[in-house]
Amino acid sequence: MTHAVLLAQARALLESETDYLANAANLAALLYGHLPQINWAGFYFHADAQLVLGPFQGPPACTRIALGKGVCGTAALQRRSLIVPDVHAFAGHIACDPASASEMVVPMMHRGRLLGVLDLDSPRRGRFKLADLRLAESVVRLYIQASNSVSCATF
């Protein structure tokens, strides 16, 4: 499936739904099911100065991640997207799933506030490219636009 088709499917999923949790669950399933060589796709939400596990697809994950820790916590703290071609070479990597070899994390920002992150893992080193990052950033933008700010205390 091309990135354009996947993005169109994301738009369609979000078109008539505003609940932040339902939207995150559907997007995690969409990304996990349609991106090749992915072993985890999901969301962490920012709460109480940490990231808390949200909807995801894949094996069980770390429930809480401190800001600045691991790839997710680093991307959240720095408020910037990260592609890590080899997680084993990333200082402070948190190995929730030892099968993961590369990772991509996109912070979710709204009006200057950190809402959380979208996290994608792969068992293949170097799996994520710039085109994948652009797709994930577009998905995050669609998610924030569609999701009801009243539903989630962090929004």
Side-chain angles (χ1 to χ4, degrees), residues 1-11 27 30-31 34-36 38 83 104 106 118 120 127-143:
M1 173 180 302
T2 68
H3 285 178
V5 170
L6 195 128
L7 197 54
Q9 287 190 345
R11 275 190 197 95
L27 288 175
L30 178 70
L31 294 169
H34 294 289
L35 288 175
I38 299 293
I83 293 177
M104 179 172 64
V106 176
L118 169 62
L120 299 168
R127 159 62 183 88
F128 300 106
K129 307 296 182 212
L130 186 57
D132 299 306
L133 180 62
R134 296 296 170 243
L135 169 68
E137 289 174 339
S138 293
V139 166
V140 164
R141 278 192 297 278
L142 288 173
Y143 171 74

Side-chain angles (χ1 to χ4, degrees), residues 8-155:
Q9 287 190 345
R11 275 190 197 95
L13 279 173
L14 301 173
E15 187 174 70
S16 61
E17 183 55 62
T18 60
D19 184 80
Y20 83 99
L21 199 57
N23 285 341
N26 268 334
L27 288 175
L30 178 70
L31 294 169
Y32 184 80
H34 294 289
L35 288 175
Q37 299 178 329
I38 299 293
N39 63 331
W40 202 90
F43 292 82
Y44 281 91
F45 295 111
H46 183 224
D48 301 324
Q50 61 187 332
L51 297 172
V52 180
L53 183 63
F56 71 93
Q57 297 282 307
C62 301
T63 305
R64 296 177 184 272
I65 299 173
L67 295 184
K69 301 295 181 186
V71 180
C72 287
T74 300
L77 183 66
Q78 295 178 359
R79 300 332 196 241
R80 68 180 181 97
S81 299
L82 290 177
I83 293 177
V84 178
D86 181 358
V87 295
H88 305 293
F90 187 87
H93 173 251
I94 301 169
C96 296
D97 180 359
S100 292
S102 62
E103 188 168 1
M104 179 172 64
V105 179
V106 176
M108 299 185 300
M109 302 293 299
H110 181 64
R111 297 182 181 163
R113 292 177 50 217
L114 175 68
L115 305 177
V117 299
L118 169 62
D119 181 24
L120 299 168
D121 293 0
S122 173
R124 192 182 98 202
R125 282 193 182 105
R127 159 62 183 88
F128 300 106
K129 307 296 182 212
L130 186 57
D132 299 306
L133 180 62
R134 296 296 170 243
L135 169 68
E137 289 174 339
S138 293
V139 166
V140 164
R141 278 192 297 278
L142 288 173
Y143 171 74
I144 290 169
Q145 291 167 0
S147 298
N148 187 339
S149 61
V150 177
S151 298
C152 178
T154 61
F155 272 46

